[in-house]
């Protein structure tokens, strides 16, 4: 059996459910908005961005549950802590 060595990478997830993706400068944000995001733009130019990522829920907590668990949660999963048995993205990356 051949040994397989996995390269470990740093993963930073920036999640904002109240920020439109199209206002960020790195995404060609419109000049008519007075939104400046130079640090986020610089970070995004060096990072892997998932431009086609979508979540299925709109309210904050269900959307975050969707994002970090891969599970459709709205409307059945409301404003509550995550179930202890639910596997989350940090656990997968661990």
């Amino acid at each position: 059996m051949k040994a397989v060595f996995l390269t470990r990478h740093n993963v930073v997830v920036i999640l904002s459910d109240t920020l439109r993706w199209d206002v960020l400068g790195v995404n060609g944000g419109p000049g008519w908005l007075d939104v400046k995001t130079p640090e986020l733009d610089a970070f995004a130019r060096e990072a892997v961005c998932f431009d086609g990522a979508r979540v299925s829920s709109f309210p904050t907590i269900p959307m975050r549950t969707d994002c970090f668990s891969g599970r459709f949660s709205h409307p059945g999963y409301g404003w509550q802590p995550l179930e202890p048995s639910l596997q989350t993205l940090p656990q997968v990356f661990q």
Side-chain angles (χ1 to χ4, degrees), residues 3-37:
V4 177
F5 296 97
L6 300 176
T7 302
R8 295 183 71 94
H9 297 280
N10 291 324
V11 176
V12 176
V13 177
I14 298 174
L15 179 67
S16 174
D17 58 352
T18 56
L19 174 69
R20 286 179 31 175
W21 69 272
D22 60 343
V23 300
L24 298 176
V26 72
N27 294 328
W32 54 269
L33 286 174
D34 191 27
V35 175
K36 307 289 186 244
T37 57

Side-chain angles (χ1 to χ4, degrees), residues 6-83:
L6 300 176
T7 302
R8 295 183 71 94
H9 297 280
N10 291 324
V11 176
V12 176
V13 177
I14 298 174
L15 179 67
S16 174
D17 58 352
T18 56
L19 174 69
R20 286 179 31 175
W21 69 272
D22 60 343
V23 300
L24 298 176
V26 72
N27 294 328
W32 54 269
L33 286 174
D34 191 27
V35 175
K36 307 289 186 244
T37 57
E39 288 82 13
L40 195 53
D41 297 341
F43 178 76
R45 282 191 291 274
E46 299 284 329
V48 175
C49 297
F50 295 92
D51 297 329
R54 300 286 185 269
V55 293
S56 54
S57 300
F58 177 70
T60 301
I61 298 301
M63 187 279 301
R64 291 179 182 178
T65 302
D66 292 354
C67 183
F68 287 104
S69 72
R71 168 182 151 176
F72 175 66
S73 60
H74 185 69
Y77 198 88
W79 296 80
Q80 63 196 42
L82 292 177
E83 297 168 10

